[in-house]
Amino acid sequence: PRVCVVGSGPAGFYTAQHILKHHGGALVDIYEKLPVPFGLVRFGVAPDHPEVKNVTNTFTQTARSGRCAYYGNVTVGRDVTVPELRQAYHAVVLSYGAEDNRVLGIPGENLPGVFSARAFVGWYNGLPENRDLKPDLSCETAVILGHGNVALDIARILLSPLQLLRKTDITDSSLAALACSKVKRVWLVGRRGPLQVAFTIKELREMINLPGARAVLDPADFTGLENAVKDAPRPRKRLTELMIKTALEKPVEVQAGAAAPRAWGLKFQRSPQEVLPSADGRRARGVRMALTRLEGSGDSAKAIPTGDVEELECGLVLSSIGYRSLPLDPAVPFDSQRGVIPNSSGRVEGVPGLYCSGWVKRGPTGVIITTMNDSFDTAQSVLEDLQGGVLDISPSREGFRVVESILRSRGVRPVSFSDWEKIDAAEVARGKAAGKPREKIVDPAEMLRIIGH
């Protein structure tokens, strides 16, 4: 059987890995719109978390397997359609993730100085589409809307000492911008309370221990929470206890004449209503927020505006309220309300032989391990359908041979995995010269020049 996977992030690679491991004869082709593989492992994981990127070693083993092929620089839905792929393969798995972000839907959201977390992370991680972002870091205060791990990542990058960032694979241009940054204070604002934050204890602890930056948490926000979390699940309990402990700690005395330390803090029960423009209307100068009260408890608590508002001055607003998947091809059903492809166990509803895995299957939540389990679940559905005769593999399908002639007729030249390894080697060599693990190439045209395309 020939299987095709669309997307080379964790969902795509884990799906391919599981199929290859449990079906001795299957051939898997992975398609990716960028010349370079690994999706959010390359473009989402923070530069100072290199250990999380070690999964690419496993993915590389999968790609080098004799029964797997990688075709980068191919945009499915434009260069080749999903119906064309379904003609060429016995099964098609869509694992293309979430390439958009949720919008705030408030006035002033499009002012200069307002960015989505997705674009900002893409900028410092070298995602080609965000390479020209040019965020203005000349203000002292930044506000991040959202209480997830991505929000903490951004706060940490904004406040990290440069000598820590210089040793990472952060892009050269963002490092230069951060070297001139005037940002001293970062507020992370959430609509709900301390018991509803979505970040994890590891990320919070890292932020609390960040050299040269102090945590500003208001003890009043945590009144009575010790009792409330007595019976909470252990991760939630430990996370809340760490916030309470941090809120109650006495600030360290700053030496006279020392530079004012950088600071970050959490603000709760505030819902953004408007990004306020500067006097000339040319940029953001703050955020007006509705104060909220919570109805219900735990994860299902809802934030209801109380009628009171508050303004928070800042020159940079980063909206970190979630990623969003987009429809890929008119031939694929899509639930735009939930931002997912309707499916059961990864089988796309009403389209036999079509599957999905990862964020486009379940929504943009969870970490790499969540995506791994989810992808194994989809791969299992493919294997069951192959074994149970649901997928008819009697007609021989030509796989890439058919696709290649379609791509050639449309002037598209795919990038192979050995091509990627040349780009990889060039990045590592450039990084070595600068004392970094790699210097990412951010321009796809330059990537293609390196491999002689």
Side-chain angles (χ1 to χ4, degrees):
R2 290 182 180 272
V3 179
C4 136
V5 173
V6 178
S8 70
F13 266 107
Y14 281 127
T15 305
Q17 178 190 321
H18 194 84
I19 291 171
L20 292 165
K21 183 177 172 185
H22 297 281
H23 193 301
L27 304 172
V28 181
D29 290 345
I30 300 174
Y31 291 89
E32 166 60 54
K33 68 173 183 175
L34 289 167
V36 295
F38 309 140
L40 279 190
V41 179
R42 177 177 166 103
F43 298 118
V45 173
D48 56 351
H49 284 175
E51 70 291 347
V52 183
K53 303 184 191 199
N54 290 338
V55 292
T56 59
N57 300 333
T58 319
F59 299 164
T60 297
Q61 278 178 318
T62 300
R64 285 179 178 160
S65 132
R67 293 185 289 125
C68 184
Y70 167 85
Y71 301 105
N73 200 35
V74 176
T75 302
V76 172
R78 184 192 70 193
D79 301 337
V80 57
T81 66
V82 171
E84 286 167 338
L85 290 175
R86 292 184 64 219
Q87 288 280 297
Y89 293 89
H90 295 105
V92 173
V93 188
L94 303 174
S95 313
Y96 62 88
E99 47 194 336
D100 197 12
N101 52 274
R102 291 175 54 197
V103 295
L104 292 163
I106 58 173
E109 182 168 16
N110 299 321
L111 280 168
V114 185
F115 300 95
S116 72
R118 189 185 183 286
F120 195 78
V121 170
W123 168 69
Y124 64 65
N125 270 335
L127 184 61
E129 68 187 70
N130 301 129
R131 66 186 190 271
D132 300 322
L133 203 68
K134 305 222 180 353
D136 181 352
L137 306 178
S138 64
C139 58
E140 288 201 350
T141 305
V143 166
I144 302 173
L145 302 169
H147 277 169
N149 280 341
V150 175
L152 280 185
D153 278 346
I154 292 174
R156 204 177 59 250
I157 296 295
L158 283 171
L159 297 176
S160 278
L162 278 177
Q163 65 268 26
L164 292 184
L165 294 178
R166 281 202 182 97
K167 299 186 182 81
T168 72
D169 68 1
I170 191 167
T171 64
D172 206 27
S173 57
S174 48
L175 192 60
L178 287 162
C180 308
S181 169
K182 300 274 190 292
V183 176
K184 277 201 195 55
R185 268 183 312 275
V186 178
W187 293 110
L188 295 101
V189 179
R191 287 177 316 174
R192 300 192 296 168
L195 296 181
Q196 287 81 28
V197 295
F199 48 72
T200 47
I201 193 161
K202 175 185 171 289
E203 272 69 20
L204 178 66
R205 193 176 288 123
E206 202 177 355
M207 195 70 212
I208 291 168
N209 296 330
L210 188 66
R214 74 190 171 92
V216 184
L217 302 189
D218 183 351
D221 286 331
F222 300 92
T223 312
L225 288 193
E226 262 133 335
N227 288 333
V229 289
K230 273 209 172 77
D231 308 319
R234 189 160 177 265
R236 174 65 68 190
K237 187 172 178 229
R238 286 176 58 227
L239 178 64
T240 309
E241 285 166 352
L242 178 58
M243 286 191 280
I244 294 170
K245 176 176 171 278
T246 308
L248 296 176
E249 271 170 5
K250 290 275 172 282
V252 183
E253 287 302 312
V254 180
Q255 306 283 302
R262 295 173 161 201
W264 64 276
L266 300 170
K267 288 188 181 286
F268 301 102
Q269 291 182 232
R270 286 161 169 80
S271 179
Q273 275 191 328
E274 181 182 1
V275 178
L276 302 166
S278 56
D280 63 7
R282 289 231 178 116
R283 48 171 308 125
R285 67 159 177 88
V287 185
R288 179 182 301 123
M289 296 170 297
L291 303 190
T292 65
R293 61 184 169 80
L294 294 188
E295 266 183 18
S297 60
D299 287 341
S300 58
K302 289 218 169 352
I304 312 292
T306 60
D308 292 330
V309 296
E310 177 183 284
E311 289 186 7
L312 192 51
E313 297 243 332
C314 62
L316 181 65
V317 181
L318 296 149
S319 153
S320 186
I321 57 168
Y323 288 36
R324 196 169 69 111
S325 294
L326 299 173
L328 181 74
D329 189 301
V332 181
F334 191 79
D335 177 344
S336 47
Q337 203 58 47
R338 291 173 53 227
V340 294
I341 294 172
N343 70 89
S344 90
S345 293
R347 297 177 178 92
V348 176
E349 277 175 22
V351 194
L354 189 61
Y355 303 82
C356 56
S357 67
W359 282 3
V360 75
K361 168 186 173 187
R362 70 170 192 278
T365 55
V367 290
I368 292 175
I369 191 90
T370 333
T371 292
M372 179 182 85
N373 293 324
D374 166 277
S375 304
F376 289 174
D377 167 65
T378 292
Q380 207 47 50
S381 295
V382 176
L383 295 167
E384 281 167 20
D385 292 354
L386 284 168
Q387 270 133 22
V390 177
L391 293 175
D392 181 9
I393 58 166
S394 55
S396 77
R397 298 277 165 98
E398 298 283 309
F400 181 65
R401 205 179 305 164
V402 176
V403 177
E404 187 177 25
S405 60
I406 292 171
L407 294 176
R408 195 180 298 129
S409 73
R410 291 172 191 163
V412 179
R413 280 182 74 182
V415 167
S416 69
F417 201 76
S418 57
D419 287 334
W420 147 246
E421 291 181 313
K422 288 177 196 152
I423 298 169
D424 181 40
E427 291 188 340
V428 171
R430 290 179 188 192
K432 202 170 178 189
K436 300 166 67 172
R438 72 171 62 237
E439 183 57 63
K440 286 182 188 162
I441 294 161
V442 297
D443 181 0
E446 190 180 347
M447 296 173 185
L448 298 177
R449 273 201 303 279
I450 287 173
I451 55 173
H453 252 47

